[in-house]
Amino acid sequence: MPIIEKSTYGTPPRMLFNGHFETIIPSIFRKVLGIQYQREKIDTPDGDFLDLDWSNVGSDKLLIISHGLEGSSERHYARGLAKLFNQNGYDVLAWNNRTCGGEMNLQPIMYHHGASYDLKTVIDHVEKSKTYDSYYLAGISMGGAQTLKYLGENGLDLNSKIKKAAVYSAPCNLPDSAATLKEKRNAFYKKRFLGKLKAKMFLKGQQFPGLVDLDLLKRVKEFDTFDTHFTAKIHGFKDGNDFYHSVSADNWMKDIQIPTLIINALNDPLLIDRCYPVDLARNHQYLFLEMPARGGHTGFMVKGQEFTWAEYRFLEFLG
């Protein structure tokens, strides 16, 4: 029932004529001005820390934003949501995954698509230290997967202050999304993401001598190799395949118990097949699946507008 058959997203600006341009141009060139975060550092249960960036207007409503792979609270999509929701009477908290706030974390682990435990730490901290009446969760790309996993894991036990959630460009099925990075057409994304992750893993190897094979790291050219010998190794999975299947959000999405919007463009170069959970949404009371024909990955630009269609759509759904 909650499949939204006709999306309200129209035609992107003329120069963004395919899914790659819709993805890459905003990622490189879009700037959102006027957000001045206030940073808070909090401890995690395992002796690490998380960097939280706040943009407050004195509201009793809080939007919590989870960013994408190798992103941060400073990415255009996080700042865009922060500015739009501030303008409409919401406080905003954009949290940074471990190593994404500008400094290396303390523990051997870093972060990944299934790190919903850190989102839990953020929400638990807010609940203990603040006095909001309601929370709304927003996730972009990897942050969308983390958000969906968190909601499903908690199911009926979810904090009652969490009213709604919305995600976009979310790899609902991580094995299928990871497979797209093997395609030649996606070489740009593979090189960009892998280069950043290898640089961080090199620092992690220096931080903890012997933790990973730094000589092998220099030779890694494929994501599944990186995830088998590095991501899986430091996070306790057997190999890359075990990691992808074990943390994939769709293992938990059936148990989501609050209204949740999933926006995944059909021309997203990083999503295929099971990343579009049509069968689940069709029979799920709380999942609303919207699949615009266009939009790319974290794109959804609108000609002449400061904010993207996805950001306006989040405000419409969550408000």
Side-chain angles (χ1 to χ4, degrees):
M1 178 183 67
I3 293 179
I4 299 170
E5 298 291 352
K6 187 173 178 59
S7 176
T8 60
Y9 185 50
T11 304
R14 183 174 297 179
M15 66 176 180
L16 307 182
F17 52 84
N18 64 30
H20 294 293
F21 278 79
E22 291 173 69
T23 300
I24 295 169
I25 297 301
S27 178
I28 296 176
F29 295 107
R30 185 187 178 209
K31 308 297 180 185
V32 179
L33 305 177
I35 292 295
Q36 299 293 327
Y37 289 126
Q38 299 298 314
R39 174 153 291 188
E40 177 184 18
K41 181 178 290 188
I42 65 171
D43 297 326
T44 64
D46 64 341
D48 216 327
F49 68 90
L50 295 171
D51 288 321
L52 279 53
D53 288 330
W54 294 85
S55 183
N56 294 338
V57 294
S59 177
D60 59 4
K61 302 179 293 185
L62 177 67
L63 180 72
I64 300 174
I65 302 172
S66 300
H67 65 77
L69 182 69
E70 278 306 286
S72 73
S73 61
E74 292 294 345
R75 293 296 286 143
H76 65 93
Y77 50 70
R79 293 178 64 88
L81 279 174
K83 186 171 184 178
L84 180 62
F85 273 75
N86 277 170
Q87 290 178 355
N88 285 273
Y90 290 75
D91 282 2
V92 173
L93 165 57
W95 70 283
N96 296 276
N97 278 268
R98 303 185 195 209
T99 75
C100 295
E103 54 186 325
M104 188 58 60
N105 67 311
L106 302 177
Q107 293 295 325
I109 67 171
M110 296 199 298
Y111 74 95
H112 57 72
H113 283 70
S116 52
Y117 45 82
D118 281 341
L119 176 56
K120 180 181 186 301
T121 295
V122 171
I123 294 172
D124 289 350
H125 168 74
V126 172
E127 181 68 1
K128 292 176 183 177
S129 62
K130 310 296 180 182
T131 58
Y132 290 103
D133 292 338
S134 55
Y135 309 133
Y136 301 85
L137 305 187
I140 300 90
S141 192
M142 178 194 74
Q146 292 173 333
T147 300
L148 293 170
K149 182 172 179 282
Y150 171 82
L151 293 173
E153 285 172 329
N154 288 276
L156 292 171
D157 295 324
L158 190 71
N159 186 324
S160 62
K161 289 185 181 179
I162 302 176
K163 303 301 183 182
K164 294 181 180 180
V167 304
Y168 71 85
S169 302
C172 298
N173 181 271
L174 188 55
D176 280 2
S177 180
T180 67
L181 291 170
K182 295 182 179 181
E183 299 177 12
K184 288 184 178 180
R185 66 189 180 96
N186 287 337
F188 171 83
Y189 313 112
K190 180 180 72 173
K191 182 178 180 181
R192 187 176 185 185
F193 286 135
L194 194 55
K196 290 182 177 182
L197 287 168
K198 285 176 65 174
K200 282 188 178 178
M201 191 61 70
F202 183 80
L203 294 176
K204 184 61 64 177
Q206 290 183 319
Q207 186 182 16
F208 293 93
L211 177 66
V212 294
D213 186 339
L214 294 180
D215 289 332
L216 174 61
L217 181 64
K218 296 175 184 177
R219 303 194 301 272
V220 168
K221 295 182 179 180
E222 299 296 333
F223 246 102
D224 51 1
T225 305
F226 177 84
D227 284 331
T228 288
H229 294 284
F230 299 94
T231 307
K233 179 179 175 60
I234 70 173
H235 291 103
F237 299 97
K238 183 173 64 175
D239 53 27
N241 192 53
D242 179 45
F243 162 62
Y244 298 146
H245 284 86
S246 295
V247 307
S248 187
D250 56 3
N251 291 327
W252 291 272
M253 285 164 49
K254 65 182 185 301
D255 296 318
I256 292 175
Q257 297 294 317
I258 63 168
T260 300
L261 174 67
I262 301 172
I263 300 172
N264 282 348
L266 293 174
N267 72 338
D268 189 321
L270 301 178
L271 303 181
I272 56 172
D273 300 342
R274 291 174 293 177
C275 293
Y276 303 91
V278 174
D279 290 340
L280 177 60
R282 183 176 287 121
N283 298 291
H284 200 292
Q285 181 180 356
Y286 296 107
L287 289 183
F288 295 79
L289 177 61
E290 187 162 354
M291 298 176 289
R294 302 287 301 275
H297 191 79
T298 71
F300 304 104
M301 296 293 287
V302 180
K303 183 178 181 180
Q305 295 291 323
E306 179 178 13
F307 303 108
T308 69
W309 169 84
E311 289 157 6
Y312 284 123
R313 185 73 179 91
F314 272 28
L315 181 63
E316 177 185 42
F317 182 83
L318 298 175

